[in-house]
């Protein structure tokens, strides 16, 4: 089982402590994955607008979050 699958399973646990910890870990994983994909898109010449459209956010939001990395 992969880490993400295991975390997703634990996020549905009846024990809120286990579920909340899993949600927190999933949030961190998603942030890491998003950063990798944004960096890859920029390396391939994508504009901030194109990236923002795929993420469903504004160009300003994605540029503010990743523009200096």
């Amino acid at each position: 089982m992969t880490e993400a699958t295991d975390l997703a399973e634990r996020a549905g646990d009846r024990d809120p402590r286990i579920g909340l910890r899993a949600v927190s870990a999933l949030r961190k994983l998603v942030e890491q994955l998003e950063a990798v994909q944004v960096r890859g898109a920029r390396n391939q010449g994508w504009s901030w607008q194109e990236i923002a459209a795929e993420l469903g956010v504004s160009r300003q939001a994605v540029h503010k979050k990743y523009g200096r990395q």
Side-chain angles (χ1 to χ4, degrees), residues 1 8 14 19-20 25-26 33-34 37 41 44-45 55 64 66:
M1 195 177 292
R14 296 183 77 143
L20 290 169
L26 282 166
L33 292 170
E34 183 179 278
Q37 290 299 326
Q44 291 183 27
L55 291 175
K64 180 179 179 181
Y66 297 107

Side-chain angles (χ1 to χ4, degrees), residues 3-4 8 11-12 16 19 21 24 29-32 39 42-43 45 47 49 53-56 61 64 68:
E3 178 186 3
R21 286 179 185 161
S24 177
L29 180 58
V30 167
E31 287 294 319
Q32 293 169 349
R39 191 168 39 255
R42 291 295 292 165
N43 288 340
S47 69
Q49 184 60 49
E54 294 303 321
L55 291 175
K64 180 179 179 181
R68 291 176 178 82

Side-chain angles (χ1 to χ4, degrees), residues 7-23:
L7 288 171
E9 201 171 286
R10 285 190 277 150
D13 198 282
R14 296 183 77 143
D15 181 342
R17 185 170 282 112
I18 293 171
L20 290 169
R21 286 179 185 161
V23 168

Side-chain angles (χ1 to χ4, degrees), residues 50-67:
E50 290 172 305
I51 295 167
E54 294 303 321
L55 291 175
V57 299
S58 71
R59 179 189 59 78
Q60 293 85 352
V62 77
H63 186 267
K64 180 179 179 181
K65 188 171 183 178
Y66 297 107

